[in-house]
Amino acid sequence: GSGQGNIKSFFGPP
Amino acid sequence: LEARLEQANLLKKVVDAIKDLVQDCNFDCNDSGIALQAMDNSHVALVSMMLKSESFSPFRCDRNIALGINLTSLQKVLRCANSEDILTLKAEDAPDVVNLVFESADSDRLSEYDIKLMDIDQEHLGIPETEYAANISMPSAEFQKICRDLMALSESVAIECTKEGVKFSCNGDIGSGSVTLRSHTNVDKPENNVEIDLTEPVALTFSLKYLVNFCKASGLSGQVKLCLSNEVPLLVEYGLASNSYLRFYLAPKIGD
């Protein structure tokens, strides 16, 4: 099945 | 801070568009304008708004301040404005409240509200500059219709962009559906243009629930821009006057 990605795993701390 | 917005309606539409995704957020004010960045509770989507100082006249912000505002409260107050009202936002140093003044352009009516501010400890993410593989501009109403139509069949949509065009497709319990758009130029109504700028083919899957939510911003701009690269979040951008914008980022579905 397909899981939902987490936005925090793509965009790190500034 | 003192920032006068020709149309109170602009801020009202922004708040209406994002308030189901994010509830309490900081409006970060500095001399370049008013910015907001917030994730939804499940950390799937990110909202990024920038109202540049040029969108206001006049705009003055002497010191950087973060105005922590509950969006439901802000929406309540913005609903008190008439559609043609001018809005002035004011806040002092280390403020307890933000002050909103609505002026009618053609009468002498002046209304004034204060909203209590909150301390919001908000996580700020760094959004990398990205050269997307596919940049698609299309009518915002068209994108909204596609998302709503496909959501009747499925909870997720595959977006595939090739030289042939962009295909939105879904598979659900009752069946499947797809909509394909090709580049299209309408000289008389440029708002109806579909522009596809592709450097390499892209295929990604996204939750329709979030996309339908983003489409609440359709009233802000006749066109919407979708930017995609494989394995990175989708960018959905509604451009506003003076280079201001409302952007939504959505993490892709993984493990197909």
Side-chain angles (χ1 to χ4, degrees):
Chain A
S2 76
Q4 174 60 61
N6 184 322
I7 200 89
K8 285 169 76 178
S9 60
F10 297 97
F11 298 154
Chain B
L1 170 78
E2 187 163 346
R4 184 173 177 273
L5 195 59
E6 219 37 71
Q7 288 187 305
N9 223 3
L10 173 75
L11 187 62
K12 181 175 176 292
K13 284 183 184 174
V14 168
V15 173
D16 289 346
I18 66 175
K19 84 153 263 285
D20 292 328
L21 273 176
V22 293
Q23 284 77 45
D24 299 327
C25 40
N26 282 324
F27 287 73
D28 295 309
C29 309
N30 61 41
D31 58 9
S32 63
I34 301 179
L36 174 157
Q37 193 206 84
M39 276 180 286
D40 77 302
N41 282 333
S42 53
H43 297 171
V44 173
L46 180 81
V47 179
S48 171
M49 177 206 78
M50 179 70 213
L51 298 178
K52 299 241 167 102
S53 57
E54 297 80 21
S55 291
F56 301 89
S57 175
F59 182 89
R60 185 175 62 77
C61 185
D62 303 332
R63 258 174 288 281
N64 297 0
I65 47 170
L67 305 174
I69 301 178
N70 171 271
L71 292 186
T72 303
S73 308
L74 181 57
Q75 189 181 42
K76 282 179 186 167
V77 168
L78 289 169
R79 279 182 179 157
C80 303
N82 289 324
S83 60
E84 301 298 314
D85 277 1
I86 298 162
L87 163 64
T88 304
L89 293 164
K90 283 187 258 184
E92 296 176 359
D93 281 352
D96 295 322
V97 295
V98 58
N99 176 253
L100 292 90
V101 178
F102 303 121
E103 286 171 78
S104 161
D106 46 63
S107 77
D108 290 329
R109 183 170 163 278
L110 197 96
S111 42
E112 193 167 350
Y113 297 87
D114 281 343
I115 300 175
K116 290 179 194 165
L117 297 175
M118 4 180 4
D119 249 329
I120 300 169
D121 186 17
Q122 204 160 46
E123 202 173 354
H124 216 79
L125 300 183
I127 303 168
E129 283 286 320
T130 306
E131 290 280 337
Y132 289 95
N135 291 282
I136 302 155
S137 296
M138 61 188 287
S140 53
E142 178 75 47
F143 181 57
Q144 182 169 44
K145 176 166 167 50
I146 291 170
C147 293
R148 284 181 177 169
D149 289 350
L150 298 185
M151 197 157 108
L153 277 80
S154 174
E155 60 176 28
S156 58
V157 59
I159 305 180
E160 287 172 79
C161 198
T162 64
K163 277 188 300 190
E164 315 305 318
V166 56
K167 184 178 180 186
F168 301 86
S169 57
C170 73
N171 248 305
D173 292 340
I174 63 162
S176 61
S178 73
V179 180
T180 305
L181 298 179
R182 293 187 178 84
S183 293
H184 167 84
T185 307
N186 186 324
V187 182
D188 296 326
K189 291 183 183 165
E191 281 210 336
N192 291 347
N193 287 359
V194 176
E195 268 178 64
I196 301 172
D197 177 12
L198 184 79
T199 53
E200 65 175 317
V202 185
L204 287 159
T205 304
F206 298 99
S207 162
L208 277 164
K209 179 179 76 174
Y210 288 92
L211 293 178
V212 166
N213 216 320
F214 300 167
C215 287
K216 289 177 184 162
S218 299
L220 281 164
S221 172
Q223 287 252 314
V224 63
K225 197 169 149 192
L226 310 181
C227 302
L228 301 106
S229 284
N230 286 318
E231 289 164 46
V232 305
L234 164 73
L235 165 58
V236 179
E237 175 174 315
Y238 296 87
L240 310 173
S242 309
N243 289 323
S244 294
Y245 57 79
L246 180 59
R247 292 177 181 161
F248 299 95
Y249 294 89
L250 181 61
K253 294 245 184 182
I254 43 179
D256 286 330

